[in-house]
Amino acid sequence: MKKILAFIFVFAMLFGFAACGGNSEVTPETIKERGVLRVGVKDSLIGMGYLNPETGEYEGLEIDIARAIAKELGVEIEFLVVTPTTRLQMIDSGDIDISLSNFTITEERKMSYHFSAPYYIDAVGVMVLKDSGINSLEDLDGKTIGVTMSSTSAQSLKDYLGEGYDLSFDEFDDHASIKLALSSGAVQAHCVDTVVLSTYMDETTVILEDRFAAQPFGVVSKLSNTELNAYVDALIEKWLSDGTIEAMREANGLLPSFEG
């Protein structure tokens, strides 16, 4: 009986240590000791987060900001590709420390995750086929529109158009899938931030003129990582005020931040 109780006690202790380790706070010092900053990024958004097949290197505004954070910490950087459905899971699991993946800041999301000040403000747009006969947002009445899962774009479009429009939305795991659906006629429009739409433009498509619903992008991290969050916040605020991020934006060929 004593042996059984001792085993249970040891198991409980080991389980407790594991649980505490899994939930331990990540700080700047933690990352410095590790020697690597792990960052969730996109790999297909030209100008933002893009893995250049010719050079094998990541490039874009979000990549430049991530590298600058790693440089300030004095550590190497590891990029891990995220999608709209995996980025929060990877933050929760600790697989990444921060994410720069054109993730829109909302009051609802701020209740569960930490966001830095916005390093870029995009706006939502709609892409259609040139020969679709859709020339304005009003022409989307009765059409099916492709959006990604957990995206805010669908609600933004409904809010902008107001009452009286019959809009249907199909959700996809990623934007490449929406582009294929648009080309095949499975959906009649692709709705998302315009920086994303620009990546998927070709000779068959056009982005409608109206841009709407400012989409501020922030560095995302765990709410519980208070020291790391404060460290990143201070850097972003500094680089916004001294023109560093603006210079990065221009170097990556992005439009100026949307002002509404």
Side-chain angles (χ1 to χ4, degrees):
M1 184 65 179
K2 289 182 179 180
K3 289 183 177 180
I4 294 174
L5 290 174
F7 176 79
I8 292 173
F9 177 78
V10 171
F11 178 80
M13 290 292 290
L14 290 173
F15 180 81
F17 288 144
C20 290
N23 293 320
S24 59
E25 181 179 351
V26 175
T27 68
E29 288 305 315
T30 304
I31 295 169
K32 289 177 182 178
E33 291 171 7
R34 184 200 305 151
V36 176
L37 176 67
R38 298 179 299 217
V39 185
V41 296
K42 297 292 187 68
D43 66 351
S44 59
L45 300 183
I46 297 172
M48 290 295 283
Y50 181 63
L51 181 58
N52 190 322
E54 295 183 2
T55 64
E57 296 290 332
Y58 284 91
E59 55 189 47
L61 172 63
E62 293 176 326
I63 303 302
D64 290 346
I65 294 173
R67 286 194 173 115
I69 294 171
K71 183 178 179 180
E72 288 288 332
L73 285 164
V75 299
E76 299 296 318
I77 193 164
E78 180 182 1
F79 293 117
L80 292 94
V81 178
V82 298
T83 69
T85 55
T86 65
R87 55 191 167 191
L88 294 182
Q89 296 170 6
M90 293 176 73
I91 287 174
D92 289 337
S93 66
D95 291 327
I96 57 177
D97 302 310
I98 58 175
S99 183
L100 289 94
S101 51
N102 72 296
F103 199 21
T104 304
I105 303 168
T106 68
E107 291 304 312
E108 181 180 4
R109 287 171 174 170
K110 283 164 67 174
M111 295 175 65
S112 302
Y113 298 91
H114 180 80
F115 288 85
S116 72
Y119 51 79
Y120 185 72
I121 302 176
D122 199 4
V124 177
V126 175
M127 183 169 70
V128 299
L129 295 178
K130 286 182 179 178
D131 61 1
S132 66
I134 299 173
N135 300 307
S136 68
L137 294 180
E138 288 74 16
D139 293 335
L140 294 174
D141 190 27
K143 304 296 191 297
T144 301
I145 302 149
V147 295
T148 54
M149 294 180 182
S150 77
S151 168
T152 60
S153 300
Q155 189 60 50
S156 295
L157 178 58
K158 288 190 287 187
D159 290 344
Y160 185 74
L161 281 174
E163 300 293 332
Y165 291 90
D166 177 22
L167 305 177
S168 298
F169 295 93
D170 275 356
E171 292 188 334
F172 295 79
D173 286 333
D174 54 58
H175 295 290
S177 299
I178 302 177
K179 179 56 166 50
L180 289 174
L182 180 64
S183 298
S184 69
V187 300
Q188 288 76 57
H190 183 173
C191 180
V192 70
D193 311 327
T194 51
V195 70
V196 178
L197 293 178
S198 298
T199 299
Y200 292 95
M201 283 282 291
D202 60 29
E203 67 278 359
T204 70
T205 57
V206 63
I207 297 176
L208 299 179
E209 184 176 350
D210 282 351
R211 296 173 74 205
F212 53 94
Q215 303 292 299
F217 302 149
V219 183
V220 191
S221 50
K222 267 189 178 180
L223 274 178
S224 58
N225 291 340
T226 53
E227 289 185 34
L228 177 61
N229 298 338
Y231 183 87
V232 171
D233 287 350
L235 290 177
I236 297 299
E237 292 286 3
K238 174 189 173 185
W239 294 335
L240 285 169
S241 63
D242 68 12
T244 298
I245 288 178
E246 177 65 9
M248 291 177 179
R249 179 198 66 77
E250 291 181 352
N252 284 288
L254 294 172
L255 292 171
S257 281
F258 179 70
E259 296 182 0

